[in-house]
Amino acid sequence: MTAARTIRPLAAVHLREAMTATANHDGPAALAALMHIDAESWQAINARLAQLGTDILTVLNTTAVGGIQ
């Protein structure tokens, strides 16, 4: 059995900051926020996105173009 992966609260904040910066077309701020996410949280984020059938690039791209219509 695989250990549960956890997204730490601060990583969730950084992900939200990255999405907000992306929506505001501020690439450097988005990248800075993403770089603050710890490795374990990255694994958990990627695993959860994969369960949803997507990945971080698709999520950020969707955010950049105004979200799901």
Side-chain angles (χ1 to χ4, degrees), residues 11 14-16 18-19 22 30 33-35 37 41-42 45-50 52-64:
H14 291 311
L15 181 58
R16 183 182 65 215
M19 293 176 72
T22 300
L34 292 173
M35 291 177 64
I37 298 174
S41 293
W42 261 122
I45 290 167
N46 285 326
R48 293 207 184 156
L49 290 174
L52 296 171
T54 191
D55 58 39
I56 191 66
L57 293 177
T58 302
V59 169
L60 292 175
N61 186 51
T62 301
T63 302

